[in-house]
Amino acid sequence: MRIALDAMGGDHAPEATVLGALWAAREGVEVVLVGDEPALRAELARHRADLPIVHAPDRILMEDQATEVRRRPQSSIVVAMGLLKREEVRAVVSMGHTGATMAAALFTLGRVKGVERPALLVEFPSQRGRTFLLDGGANADCRPSFLLQFAAMGLAYAEASGVPGPKVGLLSIGEEEGKGNALVLEAYPLLKEALGPRFYGNVEGRDIFLGTAEVVVTDGFTGNVVLKLAEGEAKVLLAWIKEALTSSPLARLGALLVRGALRGVRERVDPAQYGAMPLLGVEGAVFIGHGSADALAVKNALLRAKALVEAGLMNRVRQNLAALHV
């Protein structure tokens, strides 16, 4: 169960990636670092530790274009995808350039049969556990058939994550079947016919956090807006709570009493706890994290990748797509 980590990807690489990899290794993940070997050796030496390294002298920076992967075969993300293509590793994790990671996965691995476009899956905490939304930003414009494929892949991910009997909701501006834009109105009967009782129907934005349906499908433009809104709202709410709990001596005393409970709430909404988002629909297990990821996010991304590969995520995706004849 070797997992390749793009150790040069992200705003805080290689410091955060190497430290996160070491933490994950201590919890049983067999990590292979991919990147500039001298830089990675130096970082490992700081921790008096060692991990296997596959040398990649180049890296894709956040300001680079995603299409750079075609011209830079020695970049860390392309080399990592090559390892996955040759089955030398079981998954790839990157905190680097999202577009470049997607491009490298498509160029190197190709798509799963029946998938027109891969999708990013985003995980949200909800009152009932977790809600999985896709697409989280890979496809700004979608056709109804894309949403059916997203549903099949989202169900596979939910099942691999241990969610019993997940249902699919179609994100819209109202619960009624006749509400929504052209994409939603065309996708609704398609999902209803293909999924049967696994299709919940339309859901609204608030249902994502209520956990009304475990899987929510939408186009990548809307999904990315939802993601960024949720992250921003969580950050502001936590800041407001902190401000309120430090506003007076009495409030600070109360803060001491609820500190443990608040820490639990913060962990539930912290993106670092989820680590990375899976890119579903490519022929291999690929996980993409935030560019600003710290060592904790890197560790959790590697742990999540290992767990999902062990749960047979790719086979579940293929089976669901085949069952729906997409």
Side-chain angles (χ1 to χ4, degrees), residues 131-132 147 151 155 166-180 183-185 187-205 207-208 211-218:
T131 298
F132 307 109
L147 299 191
L155 286 170
K167 291 185 179 294
V168 174
L170 176 61
L171 189 61
S172 187
I173 56 172
E175 296 180 355
E176 297 82 4
E177 182 174 346
K179 285 194 173 181
L183 175 63
V184 170
L185 293 176
Y188 191 102
L190 188 64
L191 292 166
K192 185 177 181 180
E193 180 180 357
L195 298 178
R198 290 182 294 175
F199 181 51
Y200 176 85
N202 282 348
V203 295
E204 298 177 308
D207 291 304
I208 293 171
T212 304
E214 291 80 11
V215 177
V216 174
V217 294
T218 186

Side-chain angles (χ1 to χ4, degrees), residues 137-153:
N139 308 280
D141 297 302
C142 289
R143 296 200 292 263
S145 59
F146 293 6
L147 299 191
L148 176 58
Q149 294 157 27
F150 297 168
M153 296 188 292

Side-chain angles (χ1 to χ4, degrees), residues 124 133 135-137 219-232:
F124 293 98
L133 179 144
D135 179 20
D219 61 274
F221 182 92
T222 305
N224 195 259
V225 170
V226 170
L227 169 63
K228 300 298 173 56
L229 174 63
E231 290 179 345

